[in-house]
């Protein structure tokens, strides 16, 4: 029986399919491309019921773009209707005005007397250090209710006095236990040894995990974030750090949204495994990941494909884990190498990675510093040697995210960049962080040496070494796909056209087609979805994003105006128009 198309779309298609890189027409049946070619090729698939859509000569149609490492479920715990979100467009957010943010927070507190715990997101630390005393003074309307704020980068937390009592402890014994558990590098203390109210990395995660969020609150936040990702041109998100427990039922939220038909883009989730719990708890969490992987393996819109763990922190919090001790100007103590979250549990990390890979789960590890990257690669190497026969090439789809600085010392036979290819590990890199921005530079230069800062966030080196390279943004603080493409080709400060002359590592710039691949097929491979998404190809899901510019051309992709004036025309997933 002849198969007719539900939709036929005409336009300029950039397919990312090497066998048919361009097309002018596609036919779609249900959720699938059934023909990709020209007007004559799709004509036999048209009947009286076929919807005809023409995007003309001035628009360009791409496969759905993919976020290789983002955050939806975990952001839903801090960015929701019961939390104060500092808008990214807000001048206080841009300026990093700590006191201004706290005053902004107090207005939210006055508007929500119904809440028992106040949450906020979006402060930045500049010259003033966050303390409970300062938060108490600037947010008096909270009275005796806890306030917990997460910084714009998501790696530090700010508590008022009531939150210290609730989450850290209300007795000397409880406070000492908290400090002993997480260490003085992560629990900032005053001159008397008492918590100041500023937490870094692991204890920040711990506190957030203690705050309950209803399924409905999480669902509404996911829907908000879904719309935002779509508005940036994404049709699939690698959602890192999802959990399911009595306080935060994130998997339940996704399940209900799918059953209600409200998921419009695709989520590939990694279940978070933390270091600060006991082995019994970690094993229970691993079993949950296996169970959810099996439950959702055939689901188009939501799958649990692996686990995720943090190995270190970030330069802006002075917590990236580095081989060299921090420079003298960092203000850190002698011998400080950042926050090595799994340093005490290295054998356990290797066991977890091996267990996950053995049970058909991929692993993503957060790695900023060269010591963290080396630790992650060593764990992947251990898993490969344990599970594979000699000579077998690993295909666990493991990845290391961020990769600010890898250890390369050719004179001594060290090149961790080359190990990515050897171990089948994807380098998940952030083009938006490649350009030197003044706000980030002040802490990069306190974390790394000047020569190292000039070489951070390599891209082309991984590509030349043969590794799979996938792009990511880590969140929503960026201007969408056109900006990421611009950043990948230029590696300049994209926040101000006057700052575009300095290029961080010109040799690390990529061309337009490689940038598109790193946003489509390469990300699809990382997320175990290359059979369904990442290309406009017959038999694959009809996911498309349409812009008014041809980003396959270098001269367009690196034109500052081409991303600042970019227009998102439409977004499709599974053949359905979403925007």
């Amino acid at each position: 029986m002849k198969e007719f198309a539900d939709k036929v779309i005409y336009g300029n298609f950039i397919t990312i399919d090497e066998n048919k890189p361009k097309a002018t027409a596609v036919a779609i049946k249900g959720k699938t491309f059934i023909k990709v070619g020209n007007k004559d090729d799709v004509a036999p698939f048209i009947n009286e019921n076929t919807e005809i859509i023409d995007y003309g000569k001035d628009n360009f149609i791409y496969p759905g773009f993919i976020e290789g490492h983002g955050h939806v479920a975990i952001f839903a715990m801090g960015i929701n209707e019961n939390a104060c979100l500092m808008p990214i467009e807000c001048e206080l957010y841009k300026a990093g005005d700590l006191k201004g943010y706290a005053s902004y927070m107090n207005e939210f507190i006055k508007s929500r007397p119904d809440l028992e715990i106040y949450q906020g997101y979006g402060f930045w630390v500049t010259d003033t250090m966050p303390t409970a005393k300062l938060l108490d003074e600037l947010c008096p309307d909270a009275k005796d209710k806890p306030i917990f704020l997460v910084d714009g980068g998501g790696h530090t937390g700010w508590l008022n006095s009531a939150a210290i009592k609730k989450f850290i402890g209300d007795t000397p014994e409880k406070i000492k236990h908290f400090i002993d558990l997480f260490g003085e590098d992560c629990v900032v203390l005053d001159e008397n040894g008492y918590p100041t109210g500023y937490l870094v990395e692991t204890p920040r995660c711990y506190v957030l995990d203690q705050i309950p969020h209803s399924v409905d609150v999480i669902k509404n936040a996911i829907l908000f974030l879904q719309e935002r990702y779509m508005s940036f041109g994404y049709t699939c998100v690698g959602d890192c750090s999802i959990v399911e427990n009595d306080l935060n039922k994130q998997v339940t939220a996704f399940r209900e949204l799918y059953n209600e038909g409200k998921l419009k883009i695709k989520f590939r989730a990694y279940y978070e495994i933390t270091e600060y719990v006991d082995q019994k708890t970690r094993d229970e969490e691993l079993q949950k990941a296996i169970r959810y992987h099996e439950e959702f393996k055939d689901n188009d819109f939501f799958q649990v494909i692996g686990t995720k763990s943090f190995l270190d922190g970030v330069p802006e919090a002075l917590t990236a884990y580095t081989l060299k001790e921090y420079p003298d100007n960092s203000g850190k103590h002698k011998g400080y190498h950042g926050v090595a979250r799994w340093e005490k549990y290295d054998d356990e990390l290797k066991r977890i990675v091996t267990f996950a890979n053995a049970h058909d789960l991929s692993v993503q590890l957060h790695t900023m510093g060269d010591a963290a990257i080396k630790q992650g690669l060593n764990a992947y190497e251990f898993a490969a040697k344990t599970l594979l026969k000699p000579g077998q090439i690993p295909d666990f789809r493991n990845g290391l995210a961020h990769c600010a600085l890898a250890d390369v010392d050719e004179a001594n036979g060290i090149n961790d960049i080359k190990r990515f290819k050897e171990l089948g590990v994807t380098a998940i890199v952030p083009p938006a962080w490649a350009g030197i921005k003044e706000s980030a530079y002040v802490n990069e230069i306190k974390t790394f040496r000047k020569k190292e800062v000039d070489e951070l966030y390599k891209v082309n080196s991984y590509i030349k070494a043969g590794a799979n390279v996938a792009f990511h943004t880590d969140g929503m603080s960026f201007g969408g796909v056109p900006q990421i493409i611009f950043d990948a080709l230029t590696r300049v400060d994209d926040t101000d056209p006057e700052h575009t002359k300095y290029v961080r590592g010109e040799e690390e710039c990529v061309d337009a087609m490689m940038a598109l691949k790193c946003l489509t097929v390469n990300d699809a491979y990382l997320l175990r979805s290359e059979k369904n998404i990442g290309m406009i190809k017959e038999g694959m899901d009809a996911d498309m994003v349409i812009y008014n510019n041809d980003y396959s051309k270098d001269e367009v992709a690196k034109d500052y105006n081409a991303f600042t004036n970019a227009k998102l025309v439409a977004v499709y997933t599974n053949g359905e128009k979403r925007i």
Side-chain angles (χ1 to χ4, degrees), residues 370-420:
D370 48 3
I373 289 175
K374 191 176 294 291
Q375 185 182 28
L377 290 171
N378 289 345
Y380 291 150
E381 183 176 45
F382 179 87
K385 288 181 177 178
T386 302
L387 300 173
L388 302 178
K389 296 177 181 178
Q392 274 189 283
I393 299 174
D395 189 26
F396 301 121
R397 310 301 173 92
N398 296 330
L400 295 184
H402 314 320
C403 304
L405 179 69
D407 185 19
V408 177
D409 182 359
E410 296 286 9
N412 290 302
I414 299 170
N415 190 325
D416 279 349
I417 288 177
K418 289 182 178 179
R419 295 179 68 195
F420 280 75

Side-chain angles (χ1 to χ4, degrees), residues 270-564:
Y270 294 82
Y271 199 92
E272 182 167 8
I273 306 296
T274 59
E275 81 282 11
Y276 58 81
V277 298
D278 57 35
Q279 182 176 326
K280 180 176 180 294
T281 302
R282 277 195 290 268
D283 286 343
E284 290 171 350
E285 296 301 287
L286 284 167
Q287 289 299 327
K288 288 181 186 178
I290 293 170
R291 187 164 68 250
Y292 297 134
H293 174 60
E294 185 63 26
E295 177 184 352
F296 296 103
K297 66 181 181 181
D298 297 321
N299 191 305
D300 261 359
F301 286 94
F302 178 73
Q303 295 176 15
V304 176
I305 64 170
T307 68
K308 186 272 178 84
S309 298
F310 288 89
L311 298 195
D312 68 345
V314 291
E316 63 261 29
L318 301 181
T319 51
Y321 179 27
T322 59
L323 293 170
K324 298 175 184 175
E325 66 178 280
Y326 273 43
D328 293 339
N329 68 327
S330 68
K332 296 296 184 179
H333 60 76
K334 188 70 175 174
Y336 180 75
H337 289 259
V339 174
R341 292 184 54 166
W342 287 81
E343 185 178 32
K344 297 179 182 178
Y345 315 101
D346 190 59
D347 288 343
E348 179 67 356
L349 174 66
K350 291 174 180 175
R351 184 188 73 87
I352 289 168
V353 169
T354 304
F355 182 89
N357 288 168
H359 289 81
D360 196 32
L361 294 170
S362 299
V363 177
Q364 274 206 35
L365 299 174
H366 170 111
T367 55
M368 275 283 188
D370 48 3
I373 289 175
K374 191 176 294 291
Q375 185 182 28
L377 290 171
N378 289 345
Y380 291 150
E381 183 176 45
F382 179 87
K385 288 181 177 178
T386 302
L387 300 173
L388 302 178
K389 296 177 181 178
Q392 274 189 283
I393 299 174
D395 189 26
F396 301 121
R397 310 301 173 92
N398 296 330
L400 295 184
H402 314 320
C403 304
L405 179 69
D407 185 19
V408 177
D409 182 359
E410 296 286 9
N412 290 302
I414 299 170
N415 190 325
D416 279 349
I417 288 177
K418 289 182 178 179
R419 295 179 68 195
F420 280 75
K421 166 65 174 177
E422 294 165 0
L423 296 170
V425 175
T426 293
I428 312 164
V429 297
W433 303 350
I436 290 184
K437 298 178 175 66
E438 292 179 9
S439 58
Y441 183 82
V442 293
N443 284 325
E444 289 175 352
I445 202 66
K446 295 178 182 178
T447 303
F448 308 103
R449 273 66 181 172
K450 176 66 168 62
K451 183 179 183 298
E452 295 169 338
V453 171
D454 290 341
E455 298 176 350
L456 295 180
Y457 303 113
K458 293 179 182 291
V459 177
N460 217 19
S461 290
Y462 291 99
I463 294 170
K464 289 181 178 179
N468 185 57
V469 173
F471 284 172
H472 83 87
T473 68
D474 199 37
M476 308 172 299
S477 306
F478 306 101
V481 166
Q483 179 176 345
I484 302 306
I485 295 171
F486 172 85
D487 291 336
L489 269 72
T490 65
R491 296 178 65 85
V492 299
D493 180 358
D494 59 30
T495 61
D496 186 341
E498 295 182 3
H499 295 163
T500 58
K501 293 182 179 179
Y502 183 82
V503 180
R504 174 147 55 186
E506 188 171 2
E507 69 280 1
E508 295 299 327
C509 297
V510 301
D511 63 31
M513 283 307 301
M514 179 54 70
L516 291 174
K517 289 177 181 177
C518 292
L519 280 161
T520 53
V521 288
N522 292 8
D523 271 308
Y525 176 84
L526 167 71
L527 301 181
R528 297 173 160 226
S529 299
E530 75 278 8
K531 293 181 180 179
N532 302 103
I533 61 177
M535 290 189 287
I536 295 176
K537 185 177 181 180
E538 291 162 20
M540 297 183 73
D541 293 352
D543 296 356
M544 296 169 287
V545 172
I546 305 171
Y547 276 103
N548 61 326
N549 291 318
D550 184 356
Y551 295 112
S552 69
K553 294 180 178 178
D554 288 359
E555 63 271 23
V556 175
K558 61 185 179 183
D559 180 352
Y560 188 79
N561 292 322
F563 94 75
T564 55

Side-chain angles (χ1 to χ4, degrees), residues 84 86-87 90-93 95-108 122-124 126 128 134-135 138-139 149 158:
C84 176
M86 173 69 76
C90 179
E91 290 303 316
L92 289 174
Y93 182 94
D97 182 345
L98 200 66
K99 292 183 179 180
Y101 175 80
S103 299
Y104 186 93
M105 181 71 197
N106 194 54
E107 293 302 311
F108 172 80
F123 75 89
W124 291 105
T126 52
T128 304
L134 180 62
L135 197 53
L138 296 175
C139 295
L149 311 178
W158 185 10

